[in-house]
Amino acid sequence: MIKHVRELAEQLFKNENPNPHIAFQKVPRPTEGSHLRVHILPFPRINECRVQELLQEGLARSQGAPTATRGDKKCVVPAGPPVVSIMEKGSTVFNSAQRLEVVRNCISFIFENKFLETEKTLPAALRALKGKAARHCLTQELGLHVKQNRAILDHQQFDYIVRMMNCALQDCSSSEEYSVAAALLPLTTAFYRVSSQ
């Protein structure tokens, strides 16, 4: 019985571990300084006559071949996505107006020190700032607050305003000629906070 167990064990071992000489292929190491040598093979010379012959053969084949005509094959065309109606287009305008309202509300909450409401609306306002109109709305609203001499902020207000400006600048692109960045530049120097000493 031990003899049979040994035979089975050897067979299993051979199945699991094939010949190690075949499994591992030795890759020779590059010689010392081989990376310094340049191995550029010269480009072979092109036979002009042979190139002309090949071009003429290709032209003759394309001119002599009949143009393939497709026969009309009748089939059922699957229904695609539904066509957007005129009524649904109004919802996108409403959605855009909603986003602008979210940005305006968030800014007013910041300046009124309503931090609980600000925390609730800030994520939606930051998402809305991905749109061009919302970024322009941000610059207009902040400009109005600067004109009202409300540029001195506490630490929390300053943090919220900086986060919104940063988000607007990240989504600013060359397609809008960086108009948002140009409008935000003077606002970055207008808002400040009083540091505690």
Side-chain angles (χ1 to χ4, degrees):
M1 191 165 161
I2 291 176
K3 182 181 175 187
H4 290 297
V5 170
R6 280 189 184 148
E7 286 177 7
L8 283 172
E10 285 177 16
Q11 187 62 37
L12 287 171
F13 184 78
K14 284 179 185 175
N15 286 344
E16 293 295 320
N17 303 310
N19 191 350
H21 299 294
I22 297 169
F24 299 106
Q25 183 182 8
K26 287 190 176 180
V27 178
R29 286 187 165 212
T31 58
E32 191 79 24
S34 64
H35 63 282
L36 299 173
R37 292 192 293 276
V38 181
H39 301 285
I40 299 176
L41 297 173
F43 195 79
R45 290 200 43 84
I46 297 175
N47 186 349
E48 290 180 41
C49 296
R50 180 69 182 137
V51 171
Q52 284 300 324
E53 287 174 17
L54 291 171
L55 285 172
Q56 293 303 322
E57 280 179 30
L59 287 172
R61 259 192 251 136
S62 65
Q63 289 173 355
T67 56
T69 57
R70 282 180 65 183
D72 291 337
K73 183 180 174 184
K74 295 181 180 179
C75 63
V76 177
V77 178
V83 178
V84 178
S85 68
I86 299 169
M87 297 299 286
E88 290 176 5
K89 292 209 176 208
S91 67
T92 57
V93 173
F94 177 72
N95 194 11
S96 178
Q98 243 182 346
R99 289 181 183 165
L100 298 181
E101 193 60 35
V102 167
V103 171
R104 285 189 189 104
N105 287 341
C106 187
I107 292 171
S108 65
F109 289 149
I110 291 170
F111 283 98
E112 292 168 7
N113 289 330
K114 295 181 179 177
F115 296 129
L116 187 62
E117 288 85 355
T118 302
E119 286 292 333
K120 289 178 186 175
T121 58
L122 187 66
L126 294 178
R127 278 194 305 274
L129 287 173
K130 299 233 180 272
K132 184 178 175 182
R135 291 193 294 273
H136 284 289
C137 175
L138 173 74
T139 59
Q140 290 169 354
E141 288 294 312
L142 292 178
L144 288 173
H145 285 285
V146 169
K147 287 178 184 174
Q148 296 170 0
N149 290 328
R150 297 175 74 183
I152 303 171
L153 308 173
D154 64 19
H155 295 292
Q156 192 67 39
Q157 289 174 314
F158 188 78
D159 182 55
Y160 289 138
I161 295 297
V162 167
R163 282 171 64 185
M164 291 183 81
M165 284 182 171
N166 189 30
C167 186
L169 287 172
Q170 284 176 343
D171 294 312
C172 193
S173 66
S174 59
S175 65
E176 52 190 289
E177 297 176 350
Y178 299 104
S179 58
V180 173
L184 281 177
L185 190 60
L187 294 173
T188 57
T189 59
F191 290 104
Y192 60 95
R193 63 181 172 183
V194 178
S195 61
S196 56
Q197 294 180 5

